[in-house]
Amino acid sequence: MAAASDTEPVTTETTPQPSKRRRKKSLVWEHFTIEAVAGGCTRACCKLCKQTFAYSSGSKIAGTSHLKRHIALGSCPKIKNQEKKMLALTSGSKADETFGEPPPKRRYRMSGFANAAFDQDVSCVYLAKMIIVHDYPLHMVEHPAFISFVQSLQPRFKMADFNAIEAEILAIYQKEKQSLMQVFGTMPGRVSLTIGLWTTSQTLGYVCLTGQFIDSDWRLHRRMLNFMMVSSPHSENALSEAIGVSLSDWSMKSKLFTITLDNNCSSHDIYSANLRDHLSNKNTLMLKGQLFVVRCYAHILNVVAQDVIASIHGIIYNIRESVKFIKASPAREENFAEIALQLEIPSTKTLSLDVTTQWNTTYLMLVAALEYKQAFTVLETCDDNYNEAPSTEDWKKVEIVCTYLKLLYDSANVIMATADPTSNIFFHEAWKIQLELTNATLNEDVLVSSFAKEMHEKFDKYWKDCSLVLAIAVVMDPRFKLKLVEFSFSKIYGADAGRYAKVVNDSIHELYLEYVAQPLPLTPAYEEQGEATGNNINGNENGNDNNRPANLVSNGDGLLDFDLYLSEMAVNQPTKSELEQYLEESLVPRIQEFDILNWWKLNNLKYPTLSKMARDVLAIPMSMVSTGSSIFASGTGSRVLDEYRSSLRPETVEALFCAKDWLQYLPTMAEPPSTAIVKMEL
């Protein structure tokens, strides 16, 4: 019996070959060994506390989940003792002596081990960044439930109080601001600003300033610069002072190019005049300030759309109530669907309610309801509880309104579909709307012309204020240049088109001369290869080779005098400017994937002065809506700061808003350090 008993462990050691393979795959075997016991069974023995756990019984394997829990959850008394020792260590110290053995090559994804790195300061930084990025209240660090949750994850973390987390947020703001100041210090061109207004429940308000520019690698950037409290944010003096403070704060007094405002139409002239007068003494305004103040394109779309919607607000109310009535019960929806089926209405649109603060949803509600107008009329005759059906005249008004809302809706979607909208794309949208509304005002139908006149009055104000900057921007697009300006103006102005096109042409040349007067740092690389390679970028041969003296090389053919003659002819012949060459060259083919910034990057050597002008013009923010945001929800007035943010110190509010904007561009926010450990472990 003894002999048989002695041989049994040998059998169990040799049979579980899968255990050896499993030992190679699972990290648990770095802390356990397999021991054979009587009856053909094996048990897993903890190397630290020597406790044993069931592992296999004959051919049945128990698995390793319970073994992992023993280690990962700290059930092992040896690990518990080690954790107590770790509490006495400073953060960031090495913890690889946990088990008195060499550290394992890999770690568990579960971070409950004593050998997991923990740094109190780093954790505080990430807590502050979480509050910034997700707009959490700072006081959440004092919420008992949140404290308990964090303690369950890491008992050693000492939760910061309100003052500590506020200080951490301010420190993050200062650090990121210094980094951004270095970026602005290397900015090759000028910066254009956008101005947003925020109000509070108190008499105070905030001015939000954002800068947009194109860097040396021809990439478009938009960064928030300041979010400062002012006593009267709607006054022009407050705006001027805020801009002056911001430019001084960021050392950009001489780099301001344009300012885009989101203000009501009636006050635009006041803002423009005041800002020009106040800032012209501190900055050299290009083109005598004609481009200095720009109005937000998204804002004018919202103003026009909401005004025309307001003009039929009674009809829209009836339609909204009608949709509510139908959607109040499945029986009504089914009844309405049967009516639509009997009337053979081909529409596949679904009735939907709008969000009153987003005019695009109102437009979509009207478009869907319009296709079911007959069904609403029939429903009113067969259901005594429904009496909200619009009249035939009402539906005609809705149809006209939807026709022109579609212009604005499609234009807004084009802008939002562009990841980084440069200024050149806005001319296309604006001139088409201007043309359609201008023609509609002459329509013989009184209803059509009346709606069009109301919309055109507002949009025409925008067009007159911004058509010049819009046109100059599209001239910087090598696919269109002045040709599109001349074509569109002929449609809009008819016989007077030449006069308006000349204004654009003269302004382009005057602006170019101002850039020519500025110092242009030419490098030997340009003198040696810029002219030669520039002509090959687009396959053109109308280069500037005559602008520099030729290197006379005697070739022994007896034509040295001829070479001298050609050289003299080149010197005496007037050369064309970069702008003239650019405008005379053939248009670049229109392709959907065209990258205008990359085109100017490739042609930078060919047009060193004109490219400087293009860099500044293309960076003008024609819309204040940031990438990824909705134009329809941008509103037509000031945004309101909530009660909690209004109660914070102004410097804390600025740190929260600015740091949130800056942190979104940092790769570390998308992939924190802990993620790297998980990747290695997988």
Side-chain angles (χ1 to χ4, degrees):
M1 292 295 293
S5 172
D6 291 338
T7 60
E8 202 161 324
V10 177
T11 305
T12 55
E13 279 290 320
T14 56
T15 53
Q17 289 299 325
S19 297
K20 292 185 178 180
R21 289 195 297 271
R22 197 171 270 112
R23 192 178 306 132
K24 294 179 181 178
K25 295 180 181 179
S26 178
L27 299 175
V28 76
W29 300 117
E30 294 177 0
H31 306 285
F32 285 89
T33 59
I34 295 178
E35 295 183 357
V37 296
C41 302
T42 60
R43 294 182 68 82
C45 179
C46 177
K47 295 180 181 179
L48 303 176
C49 66
K50 304 304 179 182
Q51 292 185 50
T52 62
F53 302 86
Y55 180 62
S56 70
S57 177
S59 60
K60 186 177 180 181
I61 303 297
T64 60
S65 297
H66 60 308
L67 306 182
K68 290 179 181 178
R69 288 194 294 270
H70 177 70
I71 297 296
L73 298 182
S75 300
C76 178
K78 293 287 186 180
I79 293 180
K80 286 184 178 180
N81 291 336
Q82 187 61 35
E83 285 185 341
K84 292 179 181 178
K85 296 179 182 179
M86 287 296 295
L87 291 175
L89 298 178
T90 57
S91 61
S93 61
K94 294 183 179 179
D96 289 332
E97 300 176 0
T98 304
F99 304 121
E101 299 179 359
K105 295 180 181 178
R106 295 180 294 176
R107 299 176 183 175
Y108 288 103
R109 285 177 301 195
M110 302 175 66
S111 301
F113 290 110
N115 66 342
F118 167 71
D119 191 310
Q120 172 75 24
D121 295 336
V122 171
S123 297
C124 279
V125 169
Y126 275 98
L127 174 59
K129 288 182 178 180
M130 180 190 74
I131 291 174
I132 293 170
V133 172
H134 297 289
D135 297 324
Y136 294 140
L138 277 66
H139 283 88
M140 72 180 298
V141 297
E142 298 176 351
H143 295 170
F146 180 68
I147 295 174
S148 299
F149 169 69
V150 173
Q151 289 297 311
S152 70
L153 298 177
Q154 178 51 267
R156 287 178 283 164
F157 179 72
K158 182 180 179 182
M159 181 61 69
D161 59 15
F162 175 86
N163 292 329
I165 204 67
E166 183 182 40
E168 195 68 63
I169 289 171
L170 292 172
I172 292 172
Y173 163 75
Q174 289 296 339
K175 177 183 176 183
E176 299 303 327
K177 182 177 181 179
Q178 291 302 317
S179 299
L180 190 56
M181 289 192 73
Q182 294 179 3
V183 174
F184 279 113
T186 60
M187 183 176 59
R190 291 177 172 244
V191 64
S192 290
L193 300 180
T194 65
I195 312 296
L197 304 178
W198 290 68
T199 59
T200 67
S201 58
Q202 305 166 354
T203 57
L204 301 175
Y206 284 83
V207 174
C208 176
L209 294 96
T210 303
Q212 186 160 298
F213 65 98
I214 294 174
D215 65 15
S216 57
D217 199 36
W218 287 90
R219 291 174 299 185
L220 184 67
H221 298 273
R222 177 180 287 196
R223 298 290 188 275
M224 188 178 293
L225 302 180
N226 294 94
F227 195 89
M228 59 182 67
M229 188 181 73
V230 292
S231 57
S232 181
H234 288 280
S235 68
E236 56 271 17
N237 288 333
L239 282 183
S240 302
E241 292 173 4
I243 294 170
V245 170
S246 181
L247 294 176
S248 177
D249 186 25
W250 290 90
S251 302
M252 293 190 298
K253 289 184 178 180
S254 61
K255 292 187 176 182
L256 179 61
F257 190 54
T258 65
I259 296 177
T260 303
L261 296 174
D262 181 9
N263 58 278
N264 296 324
C265 301
S266 60
S267 59
H268 176 252
D269 293 332
I270 299 176
Y271 278 108
S272 302
N274 180 272
L275 288 173
R276 286 193 183 97
D277 295 342
H278 185 85
L279 295 170
S280 58
N281 295 330
K282 303 177 182 179
N283 302 274
T284 303
L285 300 184
M286 307 297 288
L287 205 59
K288 299 176 182 178
Q290 295 182 68
L291 309 179
F292 184 55
V293 177
V294 181
R295 293 182 56 208
C296 175
Y297 183 73
H299 175 255
I300 194 61
L301 291 183
N302 285 337
V303 168
V304 175
Q306 291 180 359
D307 280 357
V308 72
I309 287 174
S311 66
I312 59 167
H313 68 277
I315 302 173
I316 293 176
Y317 174 82
N318 286 344
I319 293 175
R320 188 180 294 122
E321 292 300 312
S322 298
V323 175
K324 288 181 183 178
F325 177 84
I326 293 169
K327 289 185 169 293
S329 69
R332 290 177 179 176
E333 286 188 287
E334 185 177 348
N335 183 33
F336 188 79
E338 290 178 358
I339 294 174
L341 187 62
Q342 292 173 3
L343 294 173
E344 298 181 350
I345 297 176
S347 176
T348 57
K349 290 183 172 62
T350 303
L351 293 178
S352 61
L353 284 172
D354 64 334
V355 179
T356 55
T357 56
Q358 299 181 16
W359 65 265
N360 61 313
T361 62
T362 303
Y363 163 70
L364 294 175
M365 180 184 72
L366 295 179
V367 169
L370 192 60
E371 298 195 7
Y372 292 99
K373 60 182 180 180
Q374 293 179 330
F376 284 108
T377 303
V378 173
L379 180 65
E380 191 171 38
T381 62
C382 63
D383 192 331
D384 295 336
N385 296 319
Y386 174 66
N387 57 3
E388 302 284 353
S391 65
T392 302
E393 186 71 14
D394 289 341
W395 284 119
K396 183 179 180 181
K397 292 180 180 179
V398 171
E399 187 173 359
I400 295 171
V401 165
C402 285
T403 299
Y404 294 106
L405 282 180
K406 186 178 188 301
L407 284 173
L408 311 179
Y409 178 79
D410 291 343
S411 182
N413 281 320
V414 168
I415 300 302
M416 289 194 300
T418 307
D420 294 308
T422 45
S423 59
N424 59 296
I425 71 172
F426 290 84
F427 182 84
H428 304 269
E429 303 306 316
W431 86 264
K432 288 184 290 186
I433 293 177
Q434 175 70 4
L435 176 63
E436 292 291 343
L437 293 180
T438 301
N439 292 339
T441 58
L442 306 177
N443 196 292
E444 295 180 356
D445 190 311
V446 177
L447 271 179
V448 172
S449 61
S450 62
F451 279 115
K453 286 177 182 177
E454 187 175 352
M455 298 176 69
H456 182 261
E457 182 181 353
K458 292 289 178 66
F459 196 85
D460 187 56
K461 172 66 174 172
Y462 171 82
W463 177 257
K464 289 177 179 177
D465 288 338
C466 298
S467 59
L468 178 60
V469 65
L470 289 168
I472 290 177
V474 83
V475 171
M476 293 294 97
D477 190 329
R479 298 170 297 173
F480 302 105
K481 303 181 183 179
L482 275 170
K483 302 299 183 184
L484 181 61
V485 175
E486 295 166 353
F487 170 78
S488 59
F489 280 10
S490 68
K491 298 285 187 180
I492 296 173
Y493 299 114
D496 293 332
R499 178 165 58 90
Y500 287 98
K502 185 177 185 302
V503 172
V504 176
N505 185 60
D506 292 346
S507 298
I508 282 282
H509 283 79
E510 183 179 346
L511 182 61
Y512 171 73
L513 291 177
E514 292 183 19
Y515 278 87
V516 170
Q518 298 175 5
L520 182 66
L522 291 180
T523 62
Y526 171 74
E527 295 176 358
E528 294 172 5
Q529 65 181 14
E531 308 266 282
T533 59
N535 297 327
N536 296 328
I537 292 176
N538 293 315
N540 299 318
E541 296 181 357
N542 51 348
N544 284 341
D545 289 342
N546 293 333
N547 288 347
R548 65 178 188 270
N551 293 326
L552 303 181
V553 179
S554 177
N555 51 16
D557 57 4
L559 294 177
L560 181 59
D561 290 344
F562 179 64
D563 292 335
L564 291 173
Y565 168 76
L566 293 178
S567 178
E568 291 174 359
M569 289 292 293
V571 172
N572 295 328
Q573 185 177 1
T575 59
K576 295 179 179 179
S577 68
E578 292 177 24
L579 177 59
E580 290 171 330
Q581 291 179 54
Y582 168 77
L583 293 177
E584 291 177 5
E585 285 182 356
S586 300
L587 299 180
V588 172
R590 298 195 305 275
I591 57 175
Q592 189 172 1
E593 299 79 13
F594 181 73
D595 185 342
I596 188 171
L597 296 184
N598 188 57
W599 189 91
W600 279 104
K601 178 180 179 180
L602 295 175
N603 286 270
N604 187 34
L605 293 178
K606 183 178 182 180
Y607 303 116
T609 300
L610 191 61
S611 64
K612 288 182 61 179
M613 176 173 150
R615 174 185 272 115
D616 292 342
V617 170
L618 293 175
I620 297 175
M622 298 294 186
S623 170
M624 295 178 60
V625 180
S626 58
T627 304
S629 300
S630 172
I631 286 180
F632 309 109
S634 62
T636 58
S638 302
R639 284 169 286 186
V640 180
L641 200 65
D642 61 56
E643 293 288 345
Y644 180 78
R645 294 294 178 94
S646 300
S647 68
L648 299 175
R649 294 190 302 160
E651 54 267 35
T652 303
V653 174
E654 182 172 45
L656 288 169
F657 273 87
C658 292
K660 179 182 179 180
D661 178 74
W662 303 337
L663 289 175
Q664 67 178 309
Y665 301 103
L666 298 181
T668 53
M669 289 307 297
E671 187 175 333
S674 58
T675 306
I677 299 177
V678 174
K679 286 186 175 181
M680 290 189 294
E681 293 161 354
L682 292 175

